[in-house]
Amino acid sequence: MQILDPEKLPRHLAIIMDGNGRWAQERMLKRIVGHRKGVETVRTIVEESSRLGIKYLTLFAFSSENWLRPKTEVRALMALLKAYLAKETARMMTNNIRFAVIGDRADLPEDVNKAVTDAVTKTSQNDGMVLTLALSYGSRKEIIQAVAQLVDNVLAGTVTREEISEEIISAYLYTREIPDPDFLIRTSGEMRISNFLLWQIAYTELYFTEVNWPDFGKEEFHSALANYQARERRYGLISDQVRKRR
Ligand code: IPE
Ligand code: IPE
Ligand code: MG
């Protein structure tokens, strides 16, 4: 496995976990089998991220667009989610992980919402890694609700026109308590963002791998992180300036 510099890990790692369905279909299995296998990968990557000392891990688990999938698949995914939360909360406690959710929770079935609330409450005092699941999440929706709330507050006089800034906008997003991602991984070979964290990834380093999520193991994970560590983040500056700053 690649040797990683513990000083240069992404503070916030975001992952678009994609390719469960194809993983299963390539094996003549039902798509849900791929999702189940995908949950095992979630376990591996959560544990490894926490062990490495990554502070924030955000996983795209279900998009606002995913509601339009066949009902049977949606139902199976919700059941899987609920089972994951029921089972993993204990492990989050052992690993000092704080659990959070971003997305439109109003759309989630009541039992899933309850499992989410339980996990968030139980783990709220943990101060290790923050594990955030994006559930029923769509970035444009998130921006719309932020703009709407901001307009309400401007009309109510609690925010002025002059105060509107990048910081203010960020403070109205679901991610208000999380720094912007440093690194974004997408599995399964698709090179798109699919409505994930559009505002937040302005300067995020992107990484795409052909490997489907159920096959994304520790080794793959370490190569992705090693790739990140070899990059120079310039934020519009030139290399010399960046090096002087360090
Ligand atoms: C990702 O795998 C999991 C979810 C979107 C819920 P997919 O289900 O999108 O798998 P593919 O892309 O069809 O292979
Ligand atoms: C993105 O994957 C959403 C999640 C990983 C939860 P999709 O499989 O829904 O994305 P598209 O449809 O291929 O863009
Ligand atoms: Mg997909």
PDB file of all heavy atoms in Angstrom, residues 4-11 225-226 228-232 246:
ATOM      1  N   LEU A   4       1.364   7.165   3.161  1.00  0.00           N
ATOM      2  CA  LEU A   4       0.668   8.453   3.216  1.00  0.00           C
ATOM      3  C   LEU A   4       1.314   9.370   4.242  1.00  0.00           C
ATOM      4  O   LEU A   4       1.799   8.916   5.276  1.00  0.00           O
ATOM      5  CB  LEU A   4      -0.798   8.228   3.585  1.00  0.00           C
ATOM      6  CG  LEU A   4      -1.624   7.435   2.577  1.00  0.00           C
ATOM      7  CD1 LEU A   4      -2.997   7.101   3.156  1.00  0.00           C
ATOM      8  CD2 LEU A   4      -1.776   8.203   1.271  1.00  0.00           C
ATOM      9  N   ASP A   5       1.317  10.666   3.916  1.00  0.00           N
ATOM     10  CA  ASP A   5       1.815  11.668   4.844  1.00  0.00           C
ATOM     11  C   ASP A   5       0.653  12.099   5.753  1.00  0.00           C
ATOM     12  O   ASP A   5      -0.303  12.714   5.279  1.00  0.00           O
ATOM     13  CB  ASP A   5       2.341  12.864   4.028  1.00  0.00           C
ATOM     14  CG  ASP A   5       2.836  13.992   4.911  1.00  0.00           C
ATOM     15  OD1 ASP A   5       2.635  13.938   6.144  1.00  0.00           O
ATOM     16  OD2 ASP A   5       3.426  14.944   4.349  1.00  0.00           O
ATOM     17  N   PRO A   6       0.740  11.763   7.047  1.00  0.00           N
ATOM     18  CA  PRO A   6      -0.385  12.074   7.930  1.00  0.00           C
ATOM     19  C   PRO A   6      -0.662  13.578   8.047  1.00  0.00           C
ATOM     20  O   PRO A   6      -1.760  13.988   8.408  1.00  0.00           O
ATOM     21  CB  PRO A   6       0.030  11.496   9.289  1.00  0.00           C
ATOM     22  CG  PRO A   6       1.482  11.217   9.183  1.00  0.00           C
ATOM     23  CD  PRO A   6       1.840  11.093   7.748  1.00  0.00           C
ATOM     24  N   GLU A   7       0.327  14.386   7.679  1.00  0.00           N
ATOM     25  CA  GLU A   7       0.159  15.850   7.746  1.00  0.00           C
ATOM     26  C   GLU A   7      -0.613  16.396   6.548  1.00  0.00           C
ATOM     27  O   GLU A   7      -1.039  17.540   6.546  1.00  0.00           O
ATOM     28  CB  GLU A   7       1.540  16.550   7.775  1.00  0.00           C
ATOM     29  CG  GLU A   7       2.436  16.133   8.929  1.00  0.00           C
ATOM     30  CD  GLU A   7       1.846  16.541  10.274  1.00  0.00           C
ATOM     31  OE1 GLU A   7       1.360  17.687  10.369  1.00  0.00           O
ATOM     32  OE2 GLU A   7       1.849  15.706  11.196  1.00  0.00           O
ATOM     33  N   LYS A   8      -0.702  15.594   5.499  1.00  0.00           N
ATOM     34  CA  LYS A   8      -1.293  16.115   4.264  1.00  0.00           C
ATOM     35  C   LYS A   8      -2.589  15.427   3.852  1.00  0.00           C
ATOM     36  O   LYS A   8      -2.942  15.374   2.681  1.00  0.00           O
ATOM     37  CB  LYS A   8      -0.270  16.006   3.117  1.00  0.00           C
ATOM     38  CG  LYS A   8       0.756  17.134   3.134  1.00  0.00           C
ATOM     39  CD  LYS A   8       1.704  17.051   1.959  1.00  0.00           C
ATOM     40  CE  LYS A   8       1.055  17.462   0.657  1.00  0.00           C
ATOM     41  NZ  LYS A   8       1.972  17.343  -0.494  1.00  0.00           N
ATOM     42  N   LEU A   9      -3.307  14.929   4.844  1.00  0.00           N
ATOM     43  CA  LEU A   9      -4.589  14.295   4.519  1.00  0.00           C
ATOM     44  C   LEU A   9      -5.643  15.372   4.275  1.00  0.00           C
ATOM     45  O   LEU A   9      -5.546  16.465   4.829  1.00  0.00           O
ATOM     46  CB  LEU A   9      -5.032  13.418   5.692  1.00  0.00           C
ATOM     47  CG  LEU A   9      -4.236  12.132   5.898  1.00  0.00           C
ATOM     48  CD1 LEU A   9      -4.532  11.556   7.276  1.00  0.00           C
ATOM     49  CD2 LEU A   9      -4.554  11.123   4.803  1.00  0.00           C
ATOM     50  N   PRO A  10      -6.635  15.078   3.437  1.00  0.00           N
ATOM     51  CA  PRO A  10      -7.724  16.059   3.309  1.00  0.00           C
ATOM     52  C   PRO A  10      -8.430  16.208   4.653  1.00  0.00           C
ATOM     53  O   PRO A  10      -8.660  15.206   5.338  1.00  0.00           O
ATOM     54  CB  PRO A  10      -8.660  15.416   2.279  1.00  0.00           C
ATOM     55  CG  PRO A  10      -8.278  13.977   2.195  1.00  0.00           C
ATOM     56  CD  PRO A  10      -6.857  13.866   2.629  1.00  0.00           C
ATOM     57  N   ARG A  11      -8.743  17.463   5.012  1.00  0.00           N
ATOM     58  CA  ARG A  11      -9.476  17.647   6.261  1.00  0.00           C
ATOM     59  C   ARG A  11     -10.912  17.162   6.062  1.00  0.00           C
ATOM     60  O   ARG A  11     -11.498  16.529   6.904  1.00  0.00           O
ATOM     61  CB  ARG A  11      -9.468  19.130   6.631  1.00  0.00           C
ATOM     62  CG  ARG A  11     -10.030  19.427   7.993  1.00  0.00           C
ATOM     63  CD  ARG A  11      -9.412  20.689   8.571  1.00  0.00           C
ATOM     64  NE  ARG A  11     -10.215  21.861   8.260  1.00  0.00           N
ATOM     65  CZ  ARG A  11     -11.053  22.425   9.130  1.00  0.00           C
ATOM     66  NH1 ARG A  11     -11.182  21.924  10.339  1.00  0.00           N
ATOM     67  NH2 ARG A  11     -11.746  23.484   8.791  1.00  0.00           N
ATOM     68  N   LEU A 225      -5.800   8.725  -1.994  1.00  0.00           N
ATOM     69  CA  LEU A 225      -5.245   9.711  -1.054  1.00  0.00           C
ATOM     70  C   LEU A 225      -3.809  10.092  -1.421  1.00  0.00           C
ATOM     71  O   LEU A 225      -3.416  11.251  -1.304  1.00  0.00           O
ATOM     72  CB  LEU A 225      -5.297   9.165   0.385  1.00  0.00           C
ATOM     73  CG  LEU A 225      -6.709   9.027   0.968  1.00  0.00           C
ATOM     74  CD1 LEU A 225      -6.662   8.267   2.302  1.00  0.00           C
ATOM     75  CD2 LEU A 225      -7.375  10.389   1.171  1.00  0.00           C
ATOM     76  N   ALA A 226      -3.048   9.117  -1.899  1.00  0.00           N
ATOM     77  CA  ALA A 226      -1.672   9.401  -2.327  1.00  0.00           C
ATOM     78  C   ALA A 226      -1.699  10.344  -3.524  1.00  0.00           C
ATOM     79  O   ALA A 226      -0.881  11.269  -3.632  1.00  0.00           O
ATOM     80  CB  ALA A 226      -0.954   8.106  -2.682  1.00  0.00           C
ATOM     81  N   TYR A 228      -3.979  12.559  -4.142  1.00  0.00           N
ATOM     82  CA  TYR A 228      -4.309  13.884  -3.575  1.00  0.00           C
ATOM     83  C   TYR A 228      -3.060  14.553  -2.994  1.00  0.00           C
ATOM     84  O   TYR A 228      -2.813  15.735  -3.196  1.00  0.00           O
ATOM     85  CB  TYR A 228      -5.380  13.723  -2.491  1.00  0.00           C
ATOM     86  CG  TYR A 228      -5.602  14.975  -1.671  1.00  0.00           C
ATOM     87  CD1 TYR A 228      -6.404  16.007  -2.158  1.00  0.00           C
ATOM     88  CD2 TYR A 228      -5.015  15.124  -0.416  1.00  0.00           C
ATOM     89  CE1 TYR A 228      -6.612  17.166  -1.418  1.00  0.00           C
ATOM     90  CE2 TYR A 228      -5.214  16.277   0.333  1.00  0.00           C
ATOM     91  CZ  TYR A 228      -6.012  17.293  -0.166  1.00  0.00           C
ATOM     92  OH  TYR A 228      -6.205  18.433   0.567  1.00  0.00           O
ATOM     93  N   GLN A 229      -2.273  13.759  -2.282  1.00  0.00           N
ATOM     94  CA  GLN A 229      -1.102  14.322  -1.601  1.00  0.00           C
ATOM     95  C   GLN A 229      -0.035  14.818  -2.575  1.00  0.00           C
ATOM     96  O   GLN A 229       0.800  15.639  -2.220  1.00  0.00           O
ATOM     97  CB  GLN A 229      -0.516  13.280  -0.639  1.00  0.00           C
ATOM     98  CG  GLN A 229      -1.502  12.937   0.467  1.00  0.00           C
ATOM     99  CD  GLN A 229      -0.889  12.224   1.647  1.00  0.00           C
ATOM    100  OE1 GLN A 229       0.088  11.490   1.500  1.00  0.00           O
ATOM    101  NE2 GLN A 229      -1.450  12.433   2.829  1.00  0.00           N
ATOM    102  N   ALA A 230      -0.079  14.314  -3.807  1.00  0.00           N
ATOM    103  CA  ALA A 230       0.928  14.728  -4.790  1.00  0.00           C
ATOM    104  C   ALA A 230       0.497  15.995  -5.536  1.00  0.00           C
ATOM    105  O   ALA A 230       1.222  16.496  -6.388  1.00  0.00           O
ATOM    106  CB  ALA A 230       1.152  13.588  -5.785  1.00  0.00           C
ATOM    107  N   ARG A 231      -0.657  16.509  -5.224  1.00  0.00           N
ATOM    108  CA  ARG A 231      -1.161  17.676  -5.971  1.00  0.00           C
ATOM    109  C   ARG A 231      -0.753  18.991  -5.322  1.00  0.00           C
ATOM    110  O   ARG A 231      -0.499  19.052  -4.136  1.00  0.00           O
ATOM    111  CB  ARG A 231      -2.692  17.623  -6.046  1.00  0.00           C
ATOM    112  CG  ARG A 231      -3.181  16.404  -6.809  1.00  0.00           C
ATOM    113  CD  ARG A 231      -4.681  16.441  -6.910  1.00  0.00           C
ATOM    114  NE  ARG A 231      -5.207  15.199  -7.467  1.00  0.00           N
ATOM    115  CZ  ARG A 231      -6.459  15.065  -7.877  1.00  0.00           C
ATOM    116  NH1 ARG A 231      -7.302  16.088  -7.797  1.00  0.00           N
ATOM    117  NH2 ARG A 231      -6.872  13.910  -8.366  1.00  0.00           N
ATOM    118  N   GLU A 232      -0.738  20.023  -6.150  1.00  0.00           N
ATOM    119  CA  GLU A 232      -0.484  21.362  -5.626  1.00  0.00           C
ATOM    120  C   GLU A 232      -1.770  22.172  -5.760  1.00  0.00           C
ATOM    121  O   GLU A 232      -2.260  22.361  -6.875  1.00  0.00           O
ATOM    122  CB  GLU A 232       0.634  22.039  -6.405  1.00  0.00           C
ATOM    123  CG  GLU A 232       0.905  23.445  -5.910  1.00  0.00           C
ATOM    124  CD  GLU A 232       2.063  24.095  -6.663  1.00  0.00           C
ATOM    125  OE1 GLU A 232       1.897  24.326  -7.880  1.00  0.00           O
ATOM    126  OE2 GLU A 232       3.103  24.360  -6.049  1.00  0.00           O
ATOM    127  N   ARG A 246       4.096  28.247   2.058  1.00  0.00           N
ATOM    128  CA  ARG A 246       4.197  27.061   2.921  1.00  0.00           C
ATOM    129  C   ARG A 246       5.241  27.198   3.987  1.00  0.00           C
ATOM    130  O   ARG A 246       6.174  27.943   3.885  1.00  0.00           O
ATOM    131  CB  ARG A 246       4.476  25.828   2.069  1.00  0.00           C
ATOM    132  CG  ARG A 246       3.190  25.130   1.752  1.00  0.00           C
ATOM    133  CD  ARG A 246       3.444  23.736   1.261  1.00  0.00           C
ATOM    134  NE  ARG A 246       2.717  23.517   0.009  1.00  0.00           N
ATOM    135  CZ  ARG A 246       3.326  23.200  -1.150  1.00  0.00           C
ATOM    136  NH1 ARG A 246       4.624  23.017  -1.197  1.00  0.00           N
ATOM    137  NH2 ARG A 246       2.609  23.030  -2.218  1.00  0.00           N
TER     138      ARG A 246
END
